[in-house]
């Protein structure tokens, strides 16, 4: 770039700062940025600083900073000293302003110092200090630097230095030397700050404090600060310097050395906090409701409390501490609504938590705070301020007195915080923005946490206080309702009551479940029975949430359950209250299901009265909640409540089925699938809703003991017990028969009438999977024969992946129990092991074999003839597999088809894995040709790039190669199949390792190859040697040496870890990642 003229550059600068065209600003910025890279920019910076335009002057100063930072090496050796003098000359010239240009020049000089010290500039702090002081009242280009300008300029430079030290990136040796230079200059800095604080002007004193804060942040030691701490304390008592001094003290209190000097700091600050000036400032801020007046004071008080709560707790009874607590209380209850009117009150909340912790840890005996040297230091520092009272030890009586006093303080705090929780009246609330509302809600949660801490001080007293307040507010509500039920007085009382209820709700996290004095009083007719139950208001919402939060308490005190439910359930029919009521009902039913058994009839009667008005969006939650209670009942007792719960759902479902039949018969309905719920036809949407309710019911009916681990004998016994119970109940209970018939009718109807509707299929599958249990009977749970028929029918209708998922689950849940138990019990011969046991996976952590409990030999499961029912079940599984395979293969004709439907392929191979693991007889019941064709399809799938499907294929192949059976007939079938497909399988695995599949899948390829070699070592060696002899196989980057090393490495080790490492290294070689950082990570 050729050097442009100065007017041209200035014109671009002016346009850059004044233009409102983003495109022009971007191009101008890029031009100026490139300009600063050129060698002539050194001279250009000086010319721009001489301009009359402030924008040009600023860019000139900025250019100096950029060039020194980026192009330091281009400065000639003989010009380095000149550059320093030039920068100082410009700083002096701009010492009177403009301030932003002076700041930029000081920043440029600090960057210069980071580069020049110590090789080209020693004692740089002393040098700048002496240079600027020597130029006071001297003329630079006709401009005189006054004493005040010198002070402000020097303070600005000294403020920037520690900030730049924290940012600069230089080698450790140079940084250490730079730090030593800084350390030598610290006495000068402290002395200068002290001088300004004593004799400086009103404008330079705050600058001195800002400078001092910057050095405290840098980490200046407390010992160096000591001579000026008294002056910094005095600065707190001056309106002009308070804000800056408060920030200094906040940094000091947050520093690492504060703990070691806690007595010095605390005894120095506390008299300031208790001074008439601080009290007046606090009072002015609160009374005028102006947080700008008191925010920095509040921040300082809060920082002090957060860092020295232990000290405060030990001196709790001192008069100055009492004044401090009064001010903290005032700020906690600062007038106005948080976020809308003020943001100061939240600053105090952490202190009350810290103080509670400190009060709870008060020592039994305290000999004093700080040693003699600390006391002497404190006296020295505080020589300019009257000393506070001395520290005394604490005996047991003193500790008890402190704790008694703390009860009084926290009692007041609870009332203050309760008032801060109050919402505005609705008319004002509606004017708030969404962000303000969210901030206010967040603040309420923070107050709730503080109330929890208060409980640890007050214990039952806080409940008593809040319940008394609630009783008073109920009286006020009754009075307001009588005189003027629609007025603002009633709304105001309800707002206050809501805050009280919110406090009680917050305490549910810490109140013991066995509490038996205050909560029984609250949940009595005198208080809980009088809460608003006919008014739709926020207080009622909070009351509903409160009921749910005390579910564990109700479990211990079941006599209060029905009144609570009588309060909750009617709210379900009110849209505004329904979500809160549904959540409360769920909490209670989940926790207290056993306690509700005796009251189930009354419970259902209350539900029946409101069912028709419950909003569909929360009805599923309600159905689930009631179902959890019904689940605890004996089966005979559960039938009537179940009929009452599901009657309306079945009725509406049947209406949908009939309407759909008519529409399908008349050709007036859309039979193609839709993509979103918004696009569904009305009948379909209603049916989907009813299925959601049925799913909620089925989930609620699941036994909490369903997942218990059982032995093979126990599994069969539990399943037979559930079958016998089903037969017994259905033979004697007509209502149970009707429930079972209705559920089957709805499920079958959904499958047949909406075959292509994805959302209906997915919801039906969820219901079917939820019903799958081998140990539990419910009239609405369909039996195994019906479930497997539903899955088969559904998949025949349309190959939704969800049907494959349901098929995978039915194999894992029912195959063992319905087909005769273990493999050994079905086939003559010795013990049989299934797919998991062959050997540890190469990625496995331990050497222990993984055993499939479905096929373990149990004590009573010797080989025996299977019953007709077991043979029919085996046949059903075989038929299901045939349908799944044929239907899936119909839609897959190429790799493109596989990648187009990854969800189907993933679920298909997942269900095949379940058949291999749990149902090998069904898997191998197909002809050898069909099974071989299926395996070849899986091997061909190793070439796809779609990760979801590819991972499922690999997991199936891992399951397949891990098979090892003791039955000779089955073993021969498996081994023969492996020998036939082995070459293609090994080729696919090697191609994947060589780079054909994503690198993240290499561990799965490893897990497939390791057991294969373990079972067929010689065959695998021959196959691999033959394939790896092919040029460019499996990758053009794998040479003969790496191939030979790979075969030797994997064939000579049986260590899973070493095997995995060999595969990993060979894969990296094939992918050209060997030796790279990326290649080492997997």
């Amino acid at each position: 770039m050729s050097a442009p003229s100065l007017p041209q550059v200035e014109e671009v600068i002016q346009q850059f700062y004044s233009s409102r065209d983003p495109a022009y600003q971007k191009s101008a910025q890029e031009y100026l940025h490139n300009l600063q890279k050129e060698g002539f920019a050194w001279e250009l910076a000086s010319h721009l600083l001489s301009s009359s335009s402030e924008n040009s002057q600023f860019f000139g100063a900025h250019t100096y900073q950029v060039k020194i930072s980026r192009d330091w090496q281009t400065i000639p050796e003989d010009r380095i000293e000149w550059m320093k003098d030039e920068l100082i000359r410009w700083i002096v010239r701009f010492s009177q302003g403009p301030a932003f240009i002076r700041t930029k020049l000081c920043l440029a000089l600090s960057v210069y110092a980071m580069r020049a010290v110590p090789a080209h500039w020693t004692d740089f702090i002393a040098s700048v200090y002496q240079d600027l002081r020597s130029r006071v009242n001297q003329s630079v280009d006709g401009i005189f630097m006054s004493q005040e300008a010198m002070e402000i300029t020097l303070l600005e430079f000294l403020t920037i230095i520690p900030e730049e030290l924290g940012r600069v990136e230089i080698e450790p040796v140079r940084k250490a030397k730079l730090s030593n230079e800084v350390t030598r200059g610290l006495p000068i800095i402290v002395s200068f700050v002290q001088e300004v604080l004593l004799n400086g002007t009103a404008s330079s004193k705050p600058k001195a404090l800002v400078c001092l804060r910057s050095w405290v942040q840098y980490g200046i030691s407390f010992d160096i600060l000591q001579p000026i701490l008294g002056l910094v304390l005095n600065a707190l008592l001056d309106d002009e310097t308070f804000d800056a001094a408060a920030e200094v003290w906040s940094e000091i209190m947050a520093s690492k050395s504060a703990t070691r000097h806690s007595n010095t700091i605390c005894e120095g600050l506390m008299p300031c906090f208790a001074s008439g000036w601080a009290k007046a400032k606090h009072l002015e801020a609160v009374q005028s409701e102006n947080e700008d007046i008191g925010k920095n004071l509040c921040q300082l008080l809060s920082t002090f409390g957060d860092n020295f709560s232990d000290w405060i707790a030990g001196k709790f009874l001192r008069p100055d501490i009492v004044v401090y607590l009064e001010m903290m209380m005032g700020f906690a209850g600062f007038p106005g609504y948080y976020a809308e009117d003020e943001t100061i009150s939240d600053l105090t909340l952490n202190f009350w938590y810290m103080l509670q912790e400190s009060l709870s840890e008060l020592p039994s005996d305290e000999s004093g705070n700080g040693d003699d040297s600390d006391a002497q230091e404190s006296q020295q520092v505080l020589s300019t301020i009257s000393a506070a009272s001395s520290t005394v030890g604490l005996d047991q009586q003193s500790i008890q007195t402190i704790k008694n006093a703390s009860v009084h303080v926290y009692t007041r705090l609870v009332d203050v915080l309760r008032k801060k929780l109050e919402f505005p009246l609705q008319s004002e609330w509606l004017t708030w923005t969404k962000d303000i509302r969210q901030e206010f809600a967040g603040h309420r949660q923070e107050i709730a946490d503080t109330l929890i801490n208060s409980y640890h001080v007050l214990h039952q007293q806080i409940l008593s206080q809040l319940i008394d307040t609630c009783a008073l507010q109920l009286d006020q509500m009754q009075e307001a309702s009588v005189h003027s039920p629609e007025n603002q007085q009633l709304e105001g009382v309800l707002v206050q009551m809501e805050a009280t209820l919110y406090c009680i709700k917050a305490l549910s996290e810490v109140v013991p479940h066995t509490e038996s004095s205050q909560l029984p009083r609250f949940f009595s007719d005198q208080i809980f029975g009088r809460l608003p139950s006919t008014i739709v208001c926020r207080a009622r919402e909070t009351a509903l949430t409160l009921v749910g939060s005390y579910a564990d308490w109700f479990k211990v005190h079941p006599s209060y359950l029905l009144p609570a439910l009588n309060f909750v359930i009617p709210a379900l029919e009110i849209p505004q209250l329904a979500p809160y009521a549904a959540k409360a009902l769920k909490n209670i039913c989940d926790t207290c299901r056993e306690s509700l058994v005796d009251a189930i009839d009354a419970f259902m009667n209350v539900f029946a009265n409101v069912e028709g008005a419950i909003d569909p969006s929360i009805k599923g939650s309600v159905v689930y909640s009631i179902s959890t209670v019904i689940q605890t009942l004996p089966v005979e007792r559960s039938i009537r409540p179940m009929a009452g719960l599901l009657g309306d759902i079945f009725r509406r479902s049947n209406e949908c089925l009939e309407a759909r039949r008519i529409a399908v018969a008349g050709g007036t309905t859309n039979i193609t699938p839709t993509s979103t719920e918004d696009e569904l036809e009305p009948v379909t949407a209603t049916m989907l809703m009813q299925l959601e309710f049925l799913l909620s019911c089925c989930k609620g009916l699941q036994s909490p003991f369903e997942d218990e681990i059982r032995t093979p004998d126990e599994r069969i016994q539990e399943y037979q017990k559930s079958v016998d119970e089903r037969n017994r109940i259905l033979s004697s209970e007509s209502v149970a028969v009707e429930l079972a018939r209705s559920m089957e009718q709805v499920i079958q109807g959904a499958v047949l009438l909406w075959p292509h509707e994805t959302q209906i299929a997915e919801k039906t599958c969820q219901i079917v999977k939820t019903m799958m249990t081998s140990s539990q009977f419910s009239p609405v749970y369909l039996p195994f024969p019906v479930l497997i028929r539903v899955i088969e029918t559904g998949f025949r209708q349309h190959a939704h992946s969800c049907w494959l998922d349901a098929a995978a689950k039915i194999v894992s849940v029912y195959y063992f129990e319905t087909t005769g138990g273990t493999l050994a019990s079905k086939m003559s011969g010795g013990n049989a092991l299934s797919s998991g046991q062959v050997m540890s996976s190469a990625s496995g952590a331990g050497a222990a074999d993984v055993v499939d409990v479905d096929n373990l030999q149990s004590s009573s499961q010797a080989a025996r003839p299977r019953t007709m029912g077991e043979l029919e079940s085996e046949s059903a599984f075989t038929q299901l597999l045939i349908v799944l395979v044929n239907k899936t293969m119909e839609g897959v004709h190429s790799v493109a088809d596989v990648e187009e439907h990854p969800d189907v392929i993933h679920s298909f191979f997942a269900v095949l894995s379940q058949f291999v693991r749990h149902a090998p007889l069904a898997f191998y019941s197909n002809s050898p040709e069909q099974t071989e064709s299926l395996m070849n399809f899986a091997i061909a799938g190793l070439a796809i790039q779609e990760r979801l499907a590819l991972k499922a294929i690999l997991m199936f192949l891992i399951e397949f190669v891990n098979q090892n059976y003791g039955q000779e007939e089955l073993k021969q079938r498996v081994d023969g199949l492996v020998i036939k497909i082995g070459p293609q399988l090994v080729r696919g695995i090697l191609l994947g390792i060589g780079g054909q599949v994503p690198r993240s899948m290499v561990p799965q390829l490893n897990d497939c190859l390791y057991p294969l070699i373990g079972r067929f070592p010689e065959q695998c060696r021959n196959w691999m040697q033959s394939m790896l002899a092919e040029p460019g196989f499996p990758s053009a980057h794998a040479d003969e040496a790496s191939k030979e090393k790979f075969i030797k490495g994997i064939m000579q080790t049986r260590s899973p870890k070493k095997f995995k490492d060999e595969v990993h290294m060979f894969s990296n070689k094939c992918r050209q990642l060997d030796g790279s950082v990326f290649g080492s990570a997997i």
Side-chain angles (χ1 to χ4, degrees), residues 50-66:
S50 301
S51 170
S52 59
S53 166
E54 291 185 357
N55 288 335
S56 297
Q57 293 167 353
F58 177 82
F59 189 77
H62 178 62
T63 300
Y64 267 136
Q65 177 196 344
V66 170

Side-chain angles (χ1 to χ4, degrees), residues 144-298:
F144 288 86
M145 183 170 67
S146 65
Q147 175 70 22
E148 180 180 13
M150 181 276 295
E151 292 176 354
I152 291 175
T153 302
L154 182 54
L155 287 169
E156 191 145 25
F157 173 72
L158 294 176
T159 300
I160 291 172
I161 287 297
E163 297 171 357
E164 193 63 27
L165 281 169
R167 286 193 295 262
V168 68
E169 296 181 2
I170 55 177
E171 56 271 22
V173 175
R174 274 200 60 222
K175 195 159 190 174
K177 292 179 179 179
L178 186 59
S179 297
N180 290 336
E181 285 283 333
V182 169
T183 301
R184 286 206 300 273
L186 286 177
I188 295 175
I189 297 170
V190 173
S191 175
F192 180 60
V193 170
Q194 184 177 32
E195 176 187 335
V196 174
L197 290 177
L198 283 170
N199 304 311
T201 63
S203 59
S204 61
K205 285 182 179 181
K207 294 278 188 182
L209 292 166
V210 171
C211 176
L212 185 61
R213 183 194 66 179
S214 186
W215 285 101
V216 173
Q217 288 176 328
Y218 174 72
I220 186 172
S221 72
F222 195 84
D223 292 335
I224 296 176
L225 287 172
Q226 184 176 315
I228 59 173
L229 286 185
L231 294 172
V232 182
L233 283 171
N234 279 334
L236 288 172
L237 305 179
D238 186 336
D239 282 333
E240 299 297 326
T241 56
F242 172 80
D243 290 346
E247 292 177 357
V248 174
W249 278 109
S250 293
E251 293 295 338
I252 291 173
M253 288 186 286
S255 65
K256 295 179 180 179
S257 60
T259 304
R260 298 195 304 273
H261 303 277
S262 60
N263 204 52
T264 301
I265 295 172
C266 294
E267 293 291 6
L269 285 173
M270 192 51 68
C272 294
F273 296 158
S275 66
W277 179 88
K279 288 191 287 187
K281 192 175 185 69
H282 169 266
L283 185 63
E284 180 186 3
V286 173
Q287 289 185 341
S288 64
E289 301 184 13
N290 186 345
E291 67 173 344
D292 293 335
I293 297 175
K295 191 157 193 173
N296 282 336
L297 175 60
C298 179

Side-chain angles (χ1 to χ4, degrees), residues 478-715:
Q478 184 175 1
E479 182 179 351
S481 300
V482 170
H483 289 91
S484 183
E486 301 297 332
N487 65 9
Q488 285 192 352
Q489 180 184 355
L490 176 59
E491 186 181 358
V493 173
L494 290 172
V495 162
Q496 296 169 11
M497 185 187 300
E498 188 279 335
T500 306
L501 295 173
Y502 186 87
C503 293
I504 298 173
K505 179 194 75 72
L507 296 178
S508 65
E509 294 187 27
V510 286
V511 173
H513 305 155
T514 55
E515 204 284 329
S516 58
S517 60
Q518 297 302 326
L519 287 179
R521 185 162 72 95
F522 175 77
F523 285 109
S524 67
D525 291 341
Q526 286 70 33
I527 295 181
F528 186 75
R530 297 169 58 201
L531 290 179
S533 58
T534 58
I535 305 173
V536 179
C537 59
R538 189 176 279 114
R540 195 169 167 193
E541 295 172 1
T542 302
L544 290 165
T545 308
L546 181 154
V547 171
S549 68
Y550 279 98
D552 288 306
W553 185 86
F554 287 122
K555 186 175 182 179
V556 181
H557 303 80
S559 61
Y560 295 91
L561 268 173
L562 271 184
L565 290 174
N566 286 332
F567 181 81
V568 170
I569 293 178
L572 291 170
E573 58 182 334
I574 303 173
Q576 181 179 329
L577 303 176
Y580 304 95
K583 186 175 181 180
L585 183 65
K586 183 178 183 299
N587 289 345
I588 291 175
C589 291
D590 275 350
T591 306
C592 309
R593 58 177 74 183
E594 292 86 0
S595 303
L596 288 169
V597 166
D598 293 335
I600 189 65
D601 293 334
F603 187 12
M604 295 305 300
N605 286 335
V606 176
F607 168 74
N609 292 331
V610 300
E611 180 185 11
I614 296 177
D615 189 276
S617 63
I618 58 106
K619 186 172 181 178
S621 174
V622 176
V623 170
Y624 170 84
S625 301
I626 298 175
S627 298
T628 60
V629 178
I630 294 175
Q631 183 274 325
T632 63
L633 297 168
V635 176
E636 289 86 349
R637 280 199 64 192
S638 71
I639 294 172
R640 300 290 174 180
M642 185 67 64
L645 178 65
L646 298 180
D648 183 67
I649 299 172
F650 282 143
R651 180 181 61 80
R652 292 178 183 271
S653 299
N654 288 327
E655 290 174 356
C656 292
L657 293 174
E658 184 60 27
R660 179 73 172 184
R661 286 191 190 96
I662 294 172
V664 170
T668 60
T669 186
N670 179 21
I671 61 171
T672 59
T674 54
S675 57
T676 66
E677 189 172 344
D678 291 337
E679 299 171 348
L680 296 177
E681 295 176 341
V683 172
T684 303
T686 303
M687 187 64 191
L688 184 64
M689 188 183 302
Q690 305 312 308
L691 291 174
E692 177 64 42
F693 300 155
L694 292 176
L695 175 62
S696 298
C697 175
C698 291
K699 287 181 176 179
L701 292 175
Q702 286 181 321
S703 170
F705 309 110
E706 175 65 24
D707 295 329
E708 284 186 350
I709 297 176
R710 299 179 177 89
T711 65
D713 288 343
E714 290 173 340
R715 291 174 62 180

Side-chain angles (χ1 to χ4, degrees), residues 301-319:
L301 295 176
S302 299
T303 304
F304 177 82
D306 292 347
N307 288 279
F308 303 109
S309 59
D310 290 344
W311 188 88
I312 295 171
K315 310 287 189 297
F316 202 77
L317 303 177
R318 278 179 26 174

Side-chain angles (χ1 to χ4, degrees), residues 86-122:
E86 180 74 357
L87 287 172
I88 292 177
R89 183 179 75 83
W90 283 113
I91 287 173
V92 172
R93 178 172 172 177
F94 283 95
S95 61
Q96 305 283 2
F100 70 100
I101 299 173
R102 179 182 66 220
T103 300
K104 181 58 73 172
L105 286 166
C106 287
L107 186 57
L109 183 60
S110 71
V111 173
Y112 175 91
M114 299 301 111
R115 298 292 185 274
V117 174
H120 303 285
W121 194 11
T122 57

